Amino acid sequence: MSSHHYDITIIGAGPAGCAAALALRESRLKVALLDKAVFPRKKTCGDAIPGPAIKALHSAFPFFQGEFQKLKEKQKIKNSSIFLENGRSIDYHWKDPAYNIRRSIWDEFLLELVQKHSPTELITGIQIDRVEQEESLKLIPATGHAIISSKMHIGCDGAGSVTAKSFNHRVLDSPETVMAVRAYYRGLKLSGETNHFYVFKKHLPGYFWAFPLGDGIFNLGFGMKARRHGKTGINIKDVLTEIINDKDSFHLFNHAEQLSEVSSAIIPIGGKRGQYSGNRFVLTGDAAHLADPLQGHGIDKAVFSGILAASHAISCFNANDFSAAFNLKYDKMIRTGIEKELRKNRYRQIMLSKCPGLLNIYSLFGK
Ligand SMILES: Cc1cc2nc3c(=O)[nH]c(=O)nc-3n(C[C@H](O)[C@H](O)[C@H](O)COP(=O)(O)OP(=O)(O)OC[C@H]3O[C@@H](n4cnc5c(N)ncnc54)[C@H](O)[C@@H]3O)c2cc1C
């Protein structure tokens, strides 16, 4: 039976795990990044990489800009428009451009940065079944007999985090999720530089999106709060198809040709007071319920929290303190750096679903 000991283990090589591994690259700590998938892997997403995620990676990692410029498969997004049923729209122009990139490509790109620019040991194709707390932490893989242990652990393992489950850790007392679906389409007559959002009164709080990926291909999707979805009993895959085929909706999708199956996944949204750590571990990204309650995006928050988790882990080693009490410093960083903004957006989301007319008023006066 082989045994491998690390200073820090990270489960999950999505945006949060890659950002954490990159931020630990000069720490001289022995770091392992593990993922059950082999990359490139499929990931159900809208593929919209928020501008703040690009900005954060650019300012944290000096090599990012040069490598990102070389990435060909990206669509620059300068504007977003929210279309209302009355024909009006609310339009935004982004100062910091965002990019639409298929997640299979974006996540593989981030992982390649980890391999190229950090001494992290990457172990893919290994599913961790549970994490046990002894003198150090033990990661128990689903198959095989390798023993993986570490002093400190960063849970970047997404929605339904195995780290949180292993420690019976509840991030939020009453967690909320969004249920979302997406598929790839071709043949839409829409701008290739704008992310399009469509709001339908009967599907609030939820929206339909059309995000261009270049070469005439679009990511079309629909998301709605899981509680509402549960109450109404609607099938959101059917809602997506219904909107695309509805000739009265926006007349834009009538000739869309479907290129992929419709796939669904949940988004663990935040905006309430959360507990983001425990003895010897911290949680990031979707594992920490940090997706935005208003728009459903979470790649930016995954990157921010991954970087914060790495900086906190270094301070644990400097202080030789991995206790739950010491890790509350990480909770404080998340509360001020991320949770505060999520709270504001949660209130906005609640207001809009109670008074959808606000969007009409905003479309007349706000820009
Ligand atoms: C339909 C949909 C559309 C979305 N659209 C957008 C969008 O357009 N823009 C945006 O910013 N966000 C969007 N999101 C949210 C976004 O996908 C997430 O917030 C983001 O992926 C979170 O990153 P993460 O690194 O925390 O987790 P993930 O990206 O989920 O990464 C977790 C990783 O952990 C690995 N893992 C999990 N469990 C284990 C285990 N037991 N053992 C080993 N490995 C494990 C997984 O294989 C995975 O690679 C969308 C989500 C959905 C569902």
Side-chain angles (χ1 to χ4, degrees), residues 42 44 179-183 185 203 208 220-224 229 233-245 258 260-265:
K42 207 179 107 179
T44 300
M179 189 73 205
V181 288
R182 72 97 175 97
Y185 283 80
H203 295 314
F208 174 83
L220 299 191
F222 174 74
M224 116 185 286
H229 159 247
I234 58 167
N235 178 331
I236 61 165
K237 285 192 182 181
D238 292 346
V239 176
L240 182 72
T241 324
E242 185 196 302
I243 294 171
I244 290 168
N245 294 326
Q258 190 168 340
S260 74
E261 84 289 4
V262 179
S263 67
S264 63

Side-chain angles (χ1 to χ4, degrees), residues 54-314:
I54 305 285
K55 205 174 168 187
L57 289 163
H58 178 42
S59 53
F61 310 120
F63 46 83
F64 177 79
Q65 182 75 347
E67 301 281 7
F68 189 59
Q69 268 167 7
K70 287 186 237 160
L71 181 70
K72 287 198 187 91
E73 303 97 331
K74 56 182 189 283
Q75 177 63 43
K76 196 171 187 172
I77 298 299
K78 294 182 184 158
N79 312 297
S80 288
S81 291
I82 304 171
F83 295 93
L84 310 180
E85 278 172 294
N86 61 11
R88 291 203 190 104
S89 70
I90 303 168
D91 306 305
Y92 297 94
H93 178 75
W94 298 118
K95 210 163 54 160
D96 300 317
Y99 290 85
N100 291 348
I101 307 169
R102 281 182 197 246
R103 281 296 295 277
S104 54
I105 295 169
W106 169 249
D107 288 21
E108 192 189 22
F109 165 74
L110 292 178
L111 197 57
E112 278 172 8
L113 293 187
V114 173
Q115 286 177 286
K116 195 167 162 190
H117 296 278
S118 84
T120 309
E121 197 169 315
L122 177 66
I123 312 171
T124 55
I126 181 167
Q127 166 143 355
I128 302 302
D129 256 5
R130 61 183 191 283
V131 185
E132 288 179 356
Q133 189 94 242
E134 291 176 8
E135 260 176 45
S136 59
L137 292 171
K138 252 192 194 169
L139 274 56
I140 315 294
T143 52
H145 301 286
I147 296 177
I148 301 162
S149 60
S150 66
K151 282 190 182 156
M152 177 78 190
H153 176 65
I154 306 180
C156 304
D157 37 8
S161 156
V162 73
T163 306
K165 270 188 205 144
S166 299
F167 299 126
N168 281 325
H169 181 89
R170 281 172 77 85
V171 176
L172 303 175
D173 281 341
S174 50
E176 290 180 321
T177 54
V178 163
M179 189 73 205
V181 288
R182 72 97 175 97
Y184 295 110
Y185 283 80
R186 185 169 32 216
L188 282 81
K189 291 182 180 57
L190 294 176
S191 154
E193 287 192 337
T194 302
N195 275 349
H196 301 73
F197 298 83
Y198 299 87
V199 178
F200 300 90
K201 217 169 165 185
K202 73 170 177 176
H203 295 314
L204 279 169
Y207 65 82
F208 174 83
W209 71 78
F211 296 163
L213 284 160
D215 296 330
I217 297 173
F218 281 77
N219 179 319
L220 299 191
F222 174 74
M224 116 185 286
K225 258 193 171 175
R227 198 159 6 127
R228 167 121 176 88
H229 159 247
K231 266 187 202 159
T232 51
I234 58 167
N235 178 331
I236 61 165
K237 285 192 182 181
D238 292 346
V239 176
L240 182 72
T241 324
E242 185 196 302
I243 294 171
I244 290 168
N245 294 326
D246 182 357
K247 305 227 174 333
D248 296 329
S249 293
F250 287 101
H251 310 285
L252 298 163
F253 313 114
N254 300 347
H255 301 291
E257 176 198 351
Q258 190 168 340
L259 302 175
S260 74
E261 84 289 4
V262 179
S263 67
S264 63
I266 65 157
I267 311 178
I269 52 173
K272 296 178 178 177
R273 193 178 172 86
Q275 316 292 332
Y276 305 106
S277 65
N279 192 36
R280 291 190 183 275
F281 75 91
V282 294
L283 297 169
T284 65
D286 276 11
H289 272 260
L290 292 178
D292 187 279
L294 188 62
Q295 300 175 59
H297 58 72
I299 297 168
D300 47 349
K301 308 297 184 287
V303 167
F304 303 161
S305 56
I307 294 172
L308 290 176
S311 122
H312 174 71
I314 293 169

